């Protein structure tokens, strides 16, 4: 059911990363500071897997009625927005990506999801050193943005599975799981990616993680059987 790519709370779907640029940053799973959500990106700097340079960037026209533009008529950069504006923009990027996904525009969707992450996890600092006094907006804002980030990671994983970029899909699932270890959709898509890459035992383990939480999940049952057969 491909519609489930739009919401991380639903059943997993069948099916790294967007172009290397300032949008490569990923939320930090190792940062336990409640005032921040940034991290190191382990998969964004593979230029061999970049999105083609002639790909049209996600349409931000829908955001212009909500967010103040710069004097040149372009959308503000992350550092020029407030925390709440960045959060809202990330959700808008998710909506844009979802539309692209529904249309089968995988690369377009990936760019939108990645742009949402770039704005969502922005953190001020100088020369790569985060500002220790920066407050992301409190625990409630942090929790809300974390949920959005997990959704974006999982949607990116779904896109990468569609593109045949299984290693990048697995990486996005791993990042989602670093925040929410019991996320069945992340385990399911990770199992798909691992099976596609020939890691049959790891795929079995990931599918089993789903079934421990959802014993009647037929898709996970079938995926586990496929992984077991592939191992024989």
């Amino acid at each position: 059911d491909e519609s489930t790519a739009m919401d991380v709370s639903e059943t997993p779907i069948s099916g790294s990363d967007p172009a290397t640029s300032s949008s490569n940053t990923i939320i930090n799973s190792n940062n336990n500071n409640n005032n921040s959500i940034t991290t190191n990106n382990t998969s964004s700097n593979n230029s061999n897997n970049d999105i083609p340079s002639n790909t049209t960037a996600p349409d931000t026209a829908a955001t212009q009625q909500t967010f103040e533009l710069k004097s040149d008529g372009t959308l503000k950069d992350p550092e020029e927005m407030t925390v709440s504006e960045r959060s809202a923009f990330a959700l808008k990027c998710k909506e844009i990506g979802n539309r692209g996904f529904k249309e089968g525009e995988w690369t377009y969707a990936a760019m939108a999801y990645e742009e949402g992450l770039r704005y969502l996890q922005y953190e001020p600092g100088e020369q790569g050193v985060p500002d220790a006094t920066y407050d992301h907006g409190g625990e409630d804002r942090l929790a809300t943005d974390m949920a959005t980030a997990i959704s974006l990671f999982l949607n990116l994983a779904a896109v990468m599975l569609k593109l045949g970029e299984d290693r990048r899909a697995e990486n996005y699932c791993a990042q989602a799981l670093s925040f929410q270890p019991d996320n069945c959709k992340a385990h399911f898509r990770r199992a798909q990616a691992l099976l596609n890459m020939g890691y049959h035992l790891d795929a079995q383990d990931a599918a089993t993680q789903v079934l421990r939480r959802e014993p009647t999940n037929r898709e996970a049952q079938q995926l586990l059987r496929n992984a077991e057969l592939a191992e024989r």
Side-chain angles (χ1 to χ4, degrees), residues 16-30 38-46 114 117 121 153 168 171-172 175:
S16 76
D17 48 77
T20 53
S21 67
S22 58
S23 64
N24 285 340
T25 48
I26 301 297
I27 289 185
N28 190 351
S29 59
N30 297 319
T38 48
T39 188
N40 296 324
N41 181 0
T42 60
S43 68
S44 293
N45 294 321
N46 186 345
E114 184 69 14
L117 282 172
Q121 62 84 68
F153 283 135
R168 295 156 77 189
N171 180 270
Y172 280 125
Q175 292 186 74

Side-chain angles (χ1 to χ4, degrees), residues 5-201:
M6 310 313 162
D7 187 332
V8 295
S9 66
E10 299 175 6
T11 305
I13 70 165
S14 300
S16 76
D17 48 77
T20 53
S21 67
S22 58
S23 64
N24 285 340
T25 48
I26 301 297
I27 289 185
N28 190 351
S29 59
N30 297 319
N31 190 339
N32 295 319
N33 181 349
N34 286 335
N35 294 326
S36 174
I37 57 172
T38 48
T39 188
N40 296 324
N41 181 0
T42 60
S43 68
S44 293
N45 294 321
N46 186 345
S47 59
N48 293 329
N49 290 325
D50 286 352
I51 287 176
S53 60
N54 61 349
T55 300
T56 303
D59 180 10
T60 57
T63 68
Q64 295 180 0
Q65 61 185 5
T66 304
F67 300 96
E68 183 178 354
L69 302 180
K70 295 190 288 188
S71 59
D72 62 1
T74 60
L75 192 69
K76 288 181 178 179
D77 292 322
E79 62 272 19
E80 298 172 303
M81 289 186 183
T82 65
V83 171
S84 61
E85 286 176 337
R86 288 193 292 270
S87 298
F89 184 71
L91 287 173
K92 185 66 68 175
C93 287
K94 179 184 172 182
E95 293 173 6
I96 293 170
N98 290 351
R99 291 200 297 270
F101 192 97
K102 288 178 180 178
E103 294 294 327
E105 298 289 343
W106 316 128
T107 298
Y108 180 92
M111 292 181 68
Y113 295 143
E114 184 69 14
E115 188 74 347
L117 282 172
R118 183 168 77 93
Y119 276 75
L120 188 63
Q121 62 84 68
Y122 168 76
E123 185 175 69
E126 294 184 2
Q127 298 181 341
V129 179
D131 182 353
T133 65
Y134 175 65
D135 187 342
H136 186 78
E139 292 185 4
D140 289 344
R141 171 68 64 186
L142 186 64
T144 299
D145 285 353
M146 198 70 72
T148 301
I150 291 170
S151 180
L152 290 168
F153 283 135
L154 292 176
N155 286 359
L156 277 163
V159 170
M160 293 305 151
L161 285 168
K162 292 291 187 182
L163 291 171
E165 296 286 355
D166 298 306
R167 189 169 300 280
R168 295 156 77 189
E170 193 276 334
N171 180 270
Y172 280 125
C173 290
Q175 292 186 74
L177 288 168
S178 70
F179 293 116
Q180 193 175 56
D182 62 348
N183 189 292
C184 286
K185 183 171 288 186
H187 284 295
F188 184 88
R189 291 181 182 163
R190 182 168 180 268
Q192 288 180 305
L194 290 166
L195 181 58
N196 291 343
M197 290 188 289
Y199 298 116
H200 305 141
L201 291 177

